[in-house]
Amino acid sequence: MSHNNPTYRRIAVIGAGPSGYAAAHALSLEKKFDVIRVFERRDKIGGLWHYDSIPDEFPLKENPEVVLPSKFPALAPPATEDVTARTAIYEKLDSNVGAEIMAFSHTPFPLQNSATSVLRLGQNNASRPFQVVQKYLDTLFQKYRHFVSLHTTVERAEKKGDQWVLSLRQPGHAEPDGQLRDFWWQETFDAIVVATGHYNVGAIPNVQGLDETYKTVPTAFEHSKSYRSADNYVAKKVVVVGGNISAADIVTDLHAIVKGPLYTAQRGLNEKLIPAWNLPGVVRKPQLKRVFASPTNGKVGVEFSDGEVVADVDNIIFATGFRVAYPFIQPNNPVTLTNRLDGVYEHIVKIGDPSLAFVGQVKGGLSFRVYEYQAVAVARILAGRGNLPSVVEQKEWEKKRLAQKGDSVAFHEILPDFGLYWNRLREIAGKPAPESDGYELPLWRQEWADTALAILERKGKWWNDQIQYAKARL
């Protein structure tokens, strides 16, 4: 059934990273909207693909809720910095999805590799250093820069009647008295596309003793979001918590330089990454049960769930993923306590009200290309051209997915069913309208998954080479 709603004329996109670009591009091609605005809280394009030398703090709590002014527009004292806006990029970060499939279908990445990736993965490998990714996004966004308001935080997005009211804040307005103030104002839209990504608020598991130990030895703890350079861990005793790609990348960086052994604590793990946990000097342990402060030396001790205790640890790095967080959507925030979006069909539109749309809320979906598919589907829905099933069928989809994937962030995990999801987005998007500049999304091809995940194969080979080299030296 087609969802035809001609009232969506003014659209706000929240976020100017890869999913924000995908949304702006797709909306623009529809040639159906009077206003497209993109709001980005940072002072540059690219979202999380920027390096912040000072990282986010250890994320034990989210930012306190911002108090809105009583009237708009307003000038107000500066709000405290939103540290969640600092990114997870570190000095030597290379992309983990093969460049050919990571790129949007309409524009390939330039071929440019980092020295580290060439040493590990070979010449002309499929990874790209973060600087190349950021420049790619910045270049693409130039066409839509007139949509973009940088350094603008959406502090509140609230639906009132059939309109979305956005409360917006811009810091750094100098007043005649020499003081800097935040400028607040409101704008109204028919629909919003939330494209703020899901790498903002680090998820920390519930570990016995963590709160008290953190108060005593705060410097011992960090989330992978705050990891910056291997130089910070030379000759340190380190535990890495987690079993997925960021844990594997950190272990790869640190295994040869820390005060060995390097412990990894894992509740579960990605089978493709097993060679990383077998690197020389790495000891694989089950999940972390307890942490405690060492009484004498300002370090911490850990106990794993098998009962082994390791004392005098300098750093515990939690590579334990991120929380779904869209705190500005009020009062009906769709994020559940179980870390997923509730009542959102195919991870892209609110069931029964597509004026609330999301681009980028998937795990293991093959970014950036999956954002492109989501954005084209969302743009067509908002243009009254998409093929949405009935509300009853949308609710049935959510019920089935909950039964299949569980009530957790895994609800948003696409891997390994790429083809099913991409082709479903293609069906929802349908063919472009003749009066638009849109294009038809290509059918999924299985070799895309192989191309996208080839970096992991190359990494696996390099890890195994290191293991064999170490054995040969014994």
Side-chain angles (χ1 to χ4, degrees), residues 4-196:
N4 194 353
N5 190 333
T7 60
Y8 301 137
R9 310 298 297 188
R10 297 172 53 81
I11 316 292
V13 177
I14 306 173
S19 46
Y21 166 75
H25 178 64
L27 289 163
S28 179
L29 294 181
E30 289 303 307
K31 297 177 116 177
K32 191 75 188 273
F33 307 108
D34 299 334
V35 173
I36 301 168
R37 292 272 274 145
V38 180
F39 298 107
E40 168 55 51
R41 63 183 173 173
R42 292 174 63 93
D43 58 359
K44 32 181 137 29
I45 297 291
L48 68 83
W49 289 94
H50 284 283
Y51 174 76
D52 286 315
S53 58
I54 300 171
D56 194 350
E57 292 149 14
F58 184 67
L60 288 180
K61 58 183 185 300
E62 284 182 55
N63 277 10
E65 196 179 329
V66 173
V67 179
L68 304 188
S70 54
K71 63 178 189 354
F72 292 88
L75 284 162
T80 54
E81 186 204 349
D82 177 4
V83 293
T84 68
R86 297 181 194 164
T87 69
I89 296 290
Y90 54 90
E91 283 179 8
K92 304 280 189 186
L93 179 80
D94 289 296
S95 62
N96 271 311
V97 175
E100 190 186 328
I101 306 307
M102 184 173 168
F104 298 113
S105 68
H106 49 77
T107 312
F109 274 114
L111 174 53
Q112 193 178 336
N113 290 134
S114 70
T116 303
S117 78
V118 171
L119 286 169
R120 293 177 181 176
L121 310 178
Q123 296 281 354
N124 300 337
N125 67 75
S127 76
R128 295 291 182 271
F130 74 84
Q131 297 93 332
V132 170
V133 179
Q134 188 276 320
K135 191 175 178 188
Y136 170 84
L137 291 168
D138 198 43
T139 304
L140 283 176
F141 234 126
Q142 279 172 15
K143 191 175 180 182
Y144 306 110
R145 280 301 289 269
H146 55 295
F147 297 163
V148 181
S149 180
L150 291 173
H151 227 215
T152 304
T153 302
V154 177
E155 293 289 7
R156 183 71 48 87
E158 185 175 358
K159 188 145 195 202
K160 295 183 176 177
D162 59 358
Q163 293 280 295
W164 283 92
V165 179
L166 267 51
S167 299
L168 304 157
R169 180 177 64 82
Q170 243 180 15
H173 284 254
E175 289 304 291
D177 62 3
Q179 296 298 307
L180 288 179
R181 304 270 196 289
D182 288 355
F183 178 61
W184 290 77
W185 77 103
Q186 290 183 319
E187 293 184 31
T188 57
F189 297 91
D190 301 315
I192 64 171
V193 181
V194 179
T196 52

Side-chain angles (χ1 to χ4, degrees), residues 381-423:
I381 290 164
L382 294 178
R385 296 165 174 156
N387 302 304
L388 271 183
S390 70
V391 168
V392 171
E393 289 170 274
Q394 291 180 51
K395 286 180 174 169
E396 192 55 33
W397 170 86
E398 185 179 36
K399 199 169 141 189
K400 278 186 181 158
R401 188 158 183 87
L402 274 170
Q404 178 202 355
K405 286 285 197 176
D407 186 10
S408 74
V409 75
F411 179 88
H412 297 294
E413 191 170 62
I414 306 307
L415 184 95
D417 305 316
F418 302 120
L420 280 173
Y421 187 57
W422 289 43
N423 287 340

